[in-house]
Amino acid sequence: MRINPSILSADFANFESELQRVAAADLIHVDIMDNHFVPNLTFGLPMVQRLQQVTPKPLDVHLMIDDPERWAPGYAEAGAYSVTFHAEATGDSVGLARRLRSIGARAGIALKPGTDVMDYLEILGEFDQVLVMTVEPGFGGQSFMESTMPKLVALREVVTKTGLDVWLQVDGGINEKTIGIAAEAGADTFVAGSSVFGSDNPAAAITTLRELARAHTHA
Ligand code: DX5
Ligand code: ZN
């Protein structure tokens, strides 16, 4: 069970201290948006290169960008532990995942709520993580879409059957009320932005989320 706070909900003027506030996390989720793939803009590679120098935990980079072939390898080269690109943004997800792995990063593939998981079940071994978006990507603070849970159930079934070491991540609207639903469906890696950074005590929020996820898991 991994809890990955998203710095999209952090204080952008104080990233170094904000990272320390969530040092109890497993990884730290970094949302890269380009105002093309999603209608919002955040930060890019120079930012991640600098965060990499001060972060207390490995970085889990989520690329909500067009043309990931061009940009994703740079994040792996910067030392990001995990680099996740969107399935909808590339015609060659396997080739890109192989490239990321060859650089030494874990390779993740993300699916928007409307994207079918079926095409990816047979090639699951090419990835280290599947990110099932539980909101439309672009903004923090949205409501969890329970309609995406059948994708996790399908993924968990294949992972269990094959014994592959693929993390199943959910991102969007994860809080104390929803994390159990996602854990029960098969998620083992949980991104939480507003519910962690919006808390007075982020460390306690992380611990509580982790305990709730454990209590609801079948894995
Ligand atoms: C949304 C981002 C998420 C976002 C989640 O497009 O990918 O990582 O930060 O924020 P919350 O947890 O507030 O829904
Ligand atoms: Zn994200």
Side-chain angles (χ1 to χ4, degrees):
M1 290 295 143
R2 282 162 290 267
I3 307 295
N4 302 0
S6 164
I7 59 165
L8 188 61
S9 295
D11 174 0
F12 278 24
N14 294 292
F15 275 123
E16 189 166 11
S17 57
E18 289 289 81
L19 292 175
Q20 290 306 326
R21 279 177 85 212
V22 295
D26 294 277
L27 296 97
I28 292 176
H29 188 81
V30 184
D31 287 306
I32 310 295
M33 304 187 192
D34 67 351
N35 194 33
H36 289 270
F37 183 76
V38 287
N40 196 7
L41 184 67
T42 55
F43 22 74
L45 184 55
M47 175 81 175
V48 169
Q49 287 168 333
R50 181 67 185 123
L51 292 176
Q52 183 66 35
Q53 294 171 343
V54 297
T55 184
K57 287 291 154 75
L59 298 183
D60 172 43
V61 173
H62 177 194
L63 299 175
M64 285 161 275
I65 60 170
D66 281 343
D67 203 4
E69 281 81 6
R70 175 169 172 195
W71 297 106
Y75 291 89
E77 280 154 13
Y81 185 78
S82 174
V83 179
T84 298
F85 56 86
H86 266 268
E88 305 84 6
T90 176
D92 183 19
S93 54
V94 170
L96 184 51
R98 288 181 182 172
R99 232 173 115 198
L100 292 171
R101 281 176 161 181
S102 76
I103 299 168
R106 288 175 64 91
I109 184 157
L111 309 175
K112 286 167 56 164
T115 302
D116 203 330
V117 73
M118 284 308 171
D119 295 345
Y120 301 95
L121 295 176
E122 281 174 16
I123 51 168
L124 219 49
E126 297 284 347
F127 308 102
D128 300 296
Q129 168 165 288
V130 180
L131 195 185
V132 173
M133 287 301 302
T134 43
V135 296
E136 288 298 338
F139 299 91
Q142 304 181 78
S143 299
F144 176 78
M145 294 167 67
E146 198 166 344
S147 57
T148 59
M149 292 299 99
K151 288 197 254 189
L152 281 163
V153 173
L155 285 161
R156 177 54 62 197
E157 202 181 303
V158 176
V159 169
T160 304
K161 211 184 293 169
T162 56
L164 287 167
D165 178 25
V166 182
W167 296 355
L168 302 183
Q169 184 174 63
V170 282
D171 181 8
I174 298 296
N175 56 37
E176 290 182 20
K177 289 200 181 73
T178 57
I179 195 165
I181 300 169
E184 219 147 274
D188 57 20
T189 306
F190 305 85
V191 177
S194 44
S195 69
V196 168
F197 279 101
S199 157
D200 292 338
N201 187 343
I206 289 165
T207 304
T208 302
L209 287 172
R210 202 182 276 119
E211 280 166 4
L212 285 167
R214 276 199 193 117
H216 287 87
T217 187
H218 303 293

